[in-house]
Amino acid sequence: MSLRPQKTMSKEIAMQDQKDCSVIKVKTSISRRWRLALTAISFTRALVASLSKKDLLDYVAIKVENPTFLDADPKALSDMLRGKNLESLKSQFGGVKGLAAILESDVKGGIGSTAEADLMRRKNVFGANEYQKPPAKNFLSFVLDALKDTVIMILLACAVISLGFGIKQDGWKDGWFDGGSIILAVFLVVAVSVVTNFKQSRSFQKLSAKSSDIKVEVVRDGRRQPLSIFDIVVGDVVCLKIGDQIPADGLFLEGHSLKVDESSMTGESDHVEINGDKNPFLMSGTKVTDGFGSMLVTSVGMNTAWGEMMSSISRDLDEETPLQARLKKLTSFIGYVGLSVAATVLVVMTVRYFTGHTTNEKGEREFYGGKTRFNDAMNAVVGIVTAAVSIVVVAIPEGLPLAVTLTLAFSMKRMMKDNAMVRKLSACETMGSATTICTDKTGTLTLNEMKVTEVWLGGGETMSYDQESTSNMSPIVQHLLREGVGLNTTGTVYKASFASVPEISGSPTEKAILSWAVFGLGLDIDEVMQKCETIQVEAFNSEKKRSGVLIRRNREKTTHSHWKGAAEMVLIMCSNYHDEDGNIKSMNDQKRRSIETVIQNMAAKSLRCIAFAHKKLEQENGQVSEKLEESGLTLLGLVGLKDPCRPGVREAVETCTAAGVNIKMITGDNKHTARAIAIECGVLKPDEDVESEAVVEGVQFRNYLPEERTAKVDRIRVMARSSPFDKLLMVQCLKQKGHVVAVTGDGTNDAPALKEADIGLSMGIQGTEVAKESSDIVILDDNFSSVVTVLRWGRCVYNNIQKFIQFQLTVNVAALVINFIASVSSGKVPLTAVQLLWVNLIMDTLAALALATEQPTNELMEKPPVGRTAPLITRVMWRNVIAHALFQVTVLLTLQFRGRSIFGVDEKVKNTIIFNTFVFCQVFNEFNARKLEKKNIFKGILKNKLFLAIIGITIVLQMVMVEFLKKFAQTVRLDWGQWAACIGIAALSWPIGWLVKCIPIPGNKA
């Protein structure tokens, strides 16, 4: 490499500077030179290492080029991280900082260019952060599954035989009608079922994709911002905190006490400590269990082990729910009854035919022993078998699973619009049975918009916070508070330019404290960080409810401990306090009590009280302690943070109480704050004081004897200063008492309680990924009103299924009884195979669509929860089913045996009237099924446009079947009087339904 004289080089640089008038270009030039220098150093190190083994060369020529991320090998990066090869990281890439330079990223500010073109180039080189999913089940698979049904196969076989004999006997022109009609009807039933199931499958896949879209904090161009996991690219700097799922493979940049759970990748349950010296490797899919930090993304998508693993796994949202399992048993029972009836009909009709007890349309005997042609006998047998199989089709309520799927899919879609994302289908049903909801306070009952409203310092009075309230503060205390807030935080302050307003990010509590320090104390967080070195950090956790940091100021040997946390917890650690003038004074018992009174007064105003404390550690025997001290601290001051209740939360709580659902508030705040907020939200009545044991602390609940805990748990309304273990203990205790428990949670430590509960509800905004994965439903807006919406939808799902069961049982009972009695008595069934298949289509698919899409009403929240062991078919439902089935059977049997004389018509017209009346009975009965108990069956009907559309479609298709598809449906045209008679008889279902609902039911729990 040729070197130029220094003077010449200086001149050239000077000339270049004169040409460059843009400051941005100068900065770019400097950064390129730094990358050039780093690359040269890394090459030289590698060269020296190789030459130390074999000294063969007298000189070396090195050609240095400016590397870009285009030169980086994605496979080499992936292999280095998977193998956790520290040597390769240092020698091949020049360490973490060297690799960051190669990837054109800054370890503090992240990717400099956020232009779409630059991000796309990175995706082209390293791939997108997505994995290839296994192919979804296609439409043809659904068709094949439907055709595998045994009953459908038998029907098709009968249809083919009937088609063959019909064509042979009557020719192509007229012989195909019987068999062809059955094939067409079967095709229609299968087609509707397949299309419906296919659409629901696609809906579930979309939901799966939505639940996989995780938001992470990413630093780009020096600015911290939330970003979808799918938008992350190689070179991004990602911020990590407890509970986060690591979104891609990467390297540790900075942080404290960072530990990850790699069990999802390695199977090892021990948490792995991450640091810059020995183990900087972070793997996609693992979860942060402790500490915080930032990482440099090095591999994404299919270049990670997690991506490869997930590409071979398809998440099945279409799992069988408990209600579907119960319905399967009901379906099997009804199916067995149907099979028994069909078998009886088959035997009776076959015996009657071969013994000559059946007649044709002209009244002539059908079977004459040896005189009857084989084709005629075979046609008759095929017809008998087809009729029997058709009875089985009607009897087996295969529409029940479809109805559950439809109502679940519909409710899931609507719940997503109402800010609730279902992760497990069973939760939709179970939520309807919930008897108790254990809810967090912060962000669920409250807005989670913290703001410092009160400040207490030293011996002074509590001040309402404003810009002037800090003017009288001691400079010493101000300096210590700026230091304590600026260094003991997981939040960040970003300022784009000198004149711009700072952007503060972090948790709501951190944002509130940082806002107070920045605007009230004049905190410059970058300046504070530059002047101090952080030695040790203890991250905040829900057990200790505090966080601490040990620091050393530049050019000083002494160290300083700063603590921040729940006021009572920090106060216990303090022995001294700063007075108004900044002097340190000893804290006697009287002073401690007065400070405790200040804390209680803040808490009584619904304020979260945070304390700050400090301790200076001097040299002892020439040694400075580098241990974070937890005793002998000096109290700096207290701040009160106000988090207002959410609008409408009181009404939501009252709605739950009216619905028989108990609300229990579980919070980490002290007892006084918890009680004040519980009263404000309506969880606690003002007259329910602490002595009534409606409000307890976590440690108190924990220390109860098991029998005492079980006896008192129903009376508890609020649990303050609780830990995640206390929440888990309460859930277990409530379940032991027979409650169906729903629990909200947002932290990593809430995972056991969320899993233990019957319904786990995680928070979409503040919730960690660990909490979300442990939950059944994600509340996207963290709002308690959305929890009540989920409860309402849960009850709606259960109620819609009951409506459909009532409707289907009525049709099943009526069809079975009519066909059985008619076949036994006359040897003929009034409803043909095609007609029965049409009825099956109406009641299975169309009725499922109509009744499963009913929206929740306020009436649902006026009844108590159904409980864990309540029967699916209630006494009210049995009353309605028996009454309507009895009416239909009576009417249709009367028409079967007296129809010809009543209307003065022939056999074909009579059978058409029976078929038409039966279908219209189901149409009118669909209205009755909308309300199981209420007499007004039309209330809210205009809101369900789909119901009205399906009723309209059914009526139109029935008219087409009777009037125009005569050969297909084996019907004849009816005159206006006969149509009016059919509709009039069927319409009697409405007044009968009204009268039946007047019959009282003892112990009604419908």
Side-chain angles (χ1 to χ4, degrees), residues 1-38:
M1 180 176 71
S2 62
L3 300 175
R4 288 176 287 178
Q6 189 174 356
K7 288 182 179 178
T8 309
M9 193 108 175
S10 300
K11 287 179 182 177
E12 287 180 11
I13 293 172
M15 288 171 66
Q16 184 66 31
D17 288 343
Q18 289 173 6
K19 292 178 183 176
D20 292 337
C21 54
S22 172
V23 178
I24 299 171
K25 288 183 179 179
V26 173
K27 289 183 177 179
T28 307
S29 176
I30 291 168
S31 64
R32 283 177 180 168
R33 288 173 188 174
W34 272 110
R35 287 198 293 270
L36 186 68
L38 285 167

Side-chain angles (χ1 to χ4, degrees), residues 431-655:
M431 193 67 190
S433 306
T435 59
T436 303
I437 299 175
C438 298
T439 176
D440 289 334
K441 173 191 76 71
T442 306
T444 308
L445 296 174
T446 61
L447 284 170
N448 209 9
E449 294 175 358
M450 300 282 188
K451 184 180 180 182
V452 174
T453 57
E454 291 191 0
V455 180
W456 179 90
L457 297 168
E461 295 295 321
T462 303
M463 300 176 289
S464 294
Y465 167 64
D466 53 44
Q467 299 293 339
E468 288 74 31
S469 64
T470 57
S471 58
N472 298 325
M473 192 184 298
S474 160
I476 297 170
V477 175
Q478 271 201 46
H479 175 73
L480 289 172
L481 281 171
R482 282 195 294 264
E483 201 173 67
V485 173
L487 298 172
N488 186 14
T489 183
T490 56
T492 59
V493 180
Y494 171 75
K495 201 169 184 181
S497 64
F498 180 76
S500 64
V501 177
E503 291 181 17
I504 299 170
S505 59
S507 70
T509 304
E510 293 286 1
K511 283 168 70 175
I513 293 171
L514 280 171
S515 296
W516 168 67
V518 169
F519 299 111
L521 302 176
L523 168 67
D524 185 334
I525 197 166
D526 293 327
E527 182 185 345
V528 170
M529 287 181 171
Q530 287 168 8
K531 289 181 178 179
C532 300
E533 174 197 359
T534 302
I535 301 168
Q536 184 187 346
V537 173
E538 183 173 311
F540 179 87
N541 65 63
S542 53
E543 292 289 339
K544 294 185 176 181
K545 302 190 185 301
R546 67 187 189 216
S547 63
V549 60
L550 181 68
I551 60 124
R552 181 187 289 113
R553 293 169 185 161
N554 296 344
R555 296 183 296 277
E556 285 188 17
K557 290 186 177 179
T558 55
T559 57
H560 299 261
S561 290
H562 281 281
W563 285 92
K564 172 186 75 181
E568 311 97 285
M569 303 298 185
V570 174
L571 185 61
I572 294 169
M573 302 159 66
C574 295
S575 305
N576 310 295
Y577 70 98
H578 280 280
D579 65 8
E580 291 173 309
D581 300 321
N583 301 315
I584 297 176
K585 291 191 174 182
S586 178
M587 190 184 295
N588 55 31
D589 290 343
Q590 184 180 352
K591 186 64 181 177
R592 190 177 293 275
R593 282 195 295 273
S594 72
I595 295 172
E596 287 173 350
T597 303
V598 172
I599 295 169
Q600 288 178 15
N601 290 339
M602 283 189 180
K605 299 172 189 173
S606 306
L607 300 183
R608 173 177 286 185
C609 196
I610 304 294
F612 299 91
H614 164 262
K615 184 175 184 179
K616 184 178 180 180
L617 305 170
E618 302 286 354
Q619 287 187 1
E620 290 183 11
N621 302 323
Q623 297 289 324
V624 181
S625 173
E626 293 198 354
K627 181 186 175 186
L628 193 55
E629 289 290 329
E630 298 186 19
S631 61
L633 304 179
T634 301
L635 185 68
L636 296 174
L638 307 170
V639 294
L641 279 67
K642 179 69 175 176
D643 185 12
C645 283
R646 285 184 178 274
V649 74
R650 190 178 186 90
E651 291 78 7
V653 170
E654 288 171 355
T655 301

Side-chain angles (χ1 to χ4, degrees), residues 353-460:
Y353 175 77
F354 285 109
T355 54
H357 287 81
T358 57
T359 57
N360 59 21
E361 294 171 3
K362 298 175 182 177
E364 299 170 349
R365 183 175 168 181
E366 287 185 311
F367 187 77
Y368 283 97
K371 296 179 181 179
T372 304
R373 292 186 302 171
F374 174 77
N375 284 355
D376 293 338
M378 203 61 201
N379 266 336
V381 171
V382 168
I384 291 168
V385 172
T386 304
V389 174
S390 300
I391 291 171
V392 175
V393 171
V394 175
I396 296 177
E398 65 268 23
L400 283 178
L402 177 64
V404 177
T405 304
L406 284 170
T407 192
L408 287 175
F410 176 73
S411 62
M412 283 166 64
K413 193 173 179 181
R414 294 304 299 264
M415 283 165 73
M416 183 69 85
K417 291 181 181 177
D418 291 337
N419 296 308
M421 183 176 72
V422 179
R423 297 187 76 255
K424 295 180 183 174
L425 288 179
S426 56
C428 288
E429 305 159 1
T430 315
M431 193 67 190
S433 306
T435 59
T436 303
I437 299 175
C438 298
T439 176
D440 289 334
K441 173 191 76 71
T442 306
T444 308
L445 296 174
T446 61
L447 284 170
N448 209 9
E449 294 175 358
M450 300 282 188
K451 184 180 180 182
V452 174
T453 57
E454 291 191 0
V455 180
W456 179 90
L457 297 168

Side-chain angles (χ1 to χ4, degrees), residues 57 76 99 119 134-135 137 155 160 171 286 355 437 443 467 482 484 491 533 566 569 602 697 701 728 828 832 857 970:
L57 301 175
L99 182 55
L119 298 176
K137 193 175 177 183
L155 268 177
V160 170
T286 58
T355 54
I437 299 175
Q467 299 293 339
R482 282 195 294 264
E533 174 197 359
M569 303 298 185
M602 283 189 180
E697 288 192 338
F701 183 76
L728 175 63
K828 295 281 186 183
T832 66
T857 61
Q970 296 178 4

